[in-house]
Amino acid sequence: MSQQLSHNAQAFDLNQSFDPGSYFLGLVQQAARSTVPVQISSEAMGEVLIDPVKQRYAAYVSDLKLFCCMPVRTLRMTPCHDCAIRAHDVARDLDELLWVAAYYASGGRLLVDTSKFDVLELNYWHNLSRLPATPNMMLLCALFGRRSHSISLARKRLGVSEEEAYRFYSAALASGALRRVSTPTAAFKEEEPPEPMTLSKTLSHLWHRLVG
C-alpha cells in the first residue's frame, strides 16, 4: 500500500543536492554494476544481499528506511561468492531497491548533477504499491507518461510540493524509471505552466494506461 510521505529525522535544505556515494544508495549502485553477489551490512542493523546477475535483492535488516539513511562509512560491502538469497525468502527486483534507497536518502533533495529543469521521459512504471510512495507520485507518473516535462513544470501543473516532487525525481532516476533527455543551458528560462491538470483528467489518463 502506498505510504504517506515519510520525512527523514533531519530536515534538509532543498536547494542542496545529495551525493548518492554518501549513503547506502551509492553502494547499491556499485553492486548493480558488479558481476558477483555482494553483501552490504551494518553490525547493528543487519544485511542486504544483492545478486547483480539476476538483478535481485533480499533485505535482512531491522529498519530498511533507517538503513538507507545511514552514512556510508557505517556500512560495509563485501563480495559474497558463497552466500545466496535464501530460497524461502522473498527476493525483489534490484531496481526497486534503487528506488527505496534513493527515496529515503533524498529527503526531498535532488541527486547531485541534476536540475529541476532537466527534461525527463518515463521509461516504465514501477508498481508503486510495493514501494514507498505517495498518491501524487502516481499522478506524476501519469503526467510523464503523456509527454516530456521538467520536474519543476510537472509539480506546478499538479500542485505538488518541491520536497515530494524532488524525492520522486531522485527515486525514479536512480531506479531507471525516468531518464533525462536534456539539461538546461545557462540561458534557460522556464515556461509558464499551462492550466493545472484536474485530478479527474489525470486519473482518467492513468486508468487508460493501466487497462491498455
Side-chain angles (χ1 to χ4, degrees), residues 139-182:
L139 299 183
L140 284 164
C141 281
L143 185 59
F144 281 109
R146 293 182 65 193
R147 55 163 290 185
S148 303
H149 287 279
S150 69
I151 195 66
S152 176
L153 189 59
R155 76 165 195 86
K156 289 175 181 177
R157 291 197 67 181
L158 295 174
V160 176
S161 71
E162 286 185 307
E163 180 180 358
E164 193 172 2
Y166 297 169
R167 192 188 291 257
F168 168 82
Y169 179 19
S170 295
L173 186 67
S175 64
L178 281 177
R179 67 180 178 276
R180 282 187 289 183
V181 295
S182 67

Side-chain angles (χ1 to χ4, degrees), residues 65-83:
K65 174 187 172 182
L66 184 58
F67 198 84
C68 291
C69 297
M70 293 176 68
V72 70
R73 66 179 181 275
T74 66
L75 302 172
R76 183 183 179 197
M77 183 168 75
T78 54
C80 195
H81 298 277
D82 299 326
C83 63

Side-chain angles (χ1 to χ4, degrees), residues 14 24 49 53 63-64 70 77 92 94 100 106 138 173 182 186 197:
L14 302 189
F24 171 62
L49 300 183
V53 175
D63 186 331
L64 186 55
M70 293 176 68
M77 183 168 75
R92 291 191 167 184
L94 184 52
V100 173
S106 163
M138 185 67 81
L173 186 67
S182 67
M197 292 179 68

